[in-house]
Amino acid sequence: MSELVEPLIVVGVDGSNHSKEALRWAVAQAKATGGRVHAVMSWEWNTNPFAVGTGGEEELVTAETAARRKLSDTVAEAVGTSPGVPVFRRVEQGSPGQVLVEASQEAELTVVGTRGYGGIKGALLGSVSQQVVQYAASTVVVVRDGVPD
């Protein structure tokens, strides 16, 4: 017998309004399709040679812990604590675009906001969103935040 598996929707979350709107859209889509959502946030090790600090294990744990906390807070703010569908929080080390492209390999749908915190204000598509659109293994939906620039 084959087991029915809920469709997986991966959504990139960075705490920006665009990513919150993408998460809201992903949850609504999961409700409509009987799916589940993986809210994915990445974090990177600071490779700036002039950065303050030793770059030791303690800073690594702190960066990952901060990302987990930020993801948890963003999910709660965007969709509440009982969104009506399973929403799993995933924190992965790596560049945001690469982490989302890798996560898309197991998803039926990948959702991103038009842009996050980086980039040029008013740009049509952020660099992470562009990378996901170009290289994702699943269908990609790009969601605007609805707030005029």
Side-chain angles (χ1 to χ4, degrees):
M1 263 191 189
S2 65
E3 258 184 68
L4 289 178
V5 178
E6 301 162 320
L8 174 60
I9 300 171
V10 166
V11 58
V13 178
D14 67 0
S16 68
N17 288 335
H18 289 263
S19 74
K20 290 175 190 173
E21 194 61 33
L23 180 57
R24 288 183 198 103
W25 191 94
V27 166
Q29 182 67 16
K31 285 179 184 177
T33 61
R36 59 198 160 99
V37 174
H38 283 194
V40 179
M41 179 176 281
S42 72
W43 65 276
E44 291 184 278
W45 180 250
N46 186 352
T47 57
N48 179 355
F50 303 107
V52 177
T54 61
E57 184 81 21
E58 185 176 302
E59 286 184 28
L60 181 68
V61 171
T62 302
E64 183 177 1
T65 301
R68 288 187 189 286
R69 190 173 302 124
K70 183 175 184 179
L71 178 58
S72 181
D73 292 347
T74 301
V75 169
E77 182 181 333
V79 297
T81 55
S82 299
V85 295
V87 177
F88 302 95
R89 296 182 302 270
R90 289 174 49 180
V91 174
E92 306 281 341
Q93 183 179 4
S95 68
Q98 184 173 347
V99 165
L100 289 171
V101 167
E102 288 174 9
S104 77
Q105 293 176 9
E106 61 193 60
E108 290 195 24
L109 185 65
T110 302
V111 182
V112 293
T114 50
R115 66 177 185 277
Y117 283 121
I120 300 168
K121 187 168 177 77
L124 295 176
L125 201 60
S127 60
V128 173
S129 301
Q130 181 73 39
Q131 186 176 356
V132 173
V133 166
Q134 285 183 300
Y135 299 109
S138 67
T139 300
V140 178
V141 173
V142 180
V143 179
R144 295 186 59 82
D145 78 348
V147 178
D149 291 326

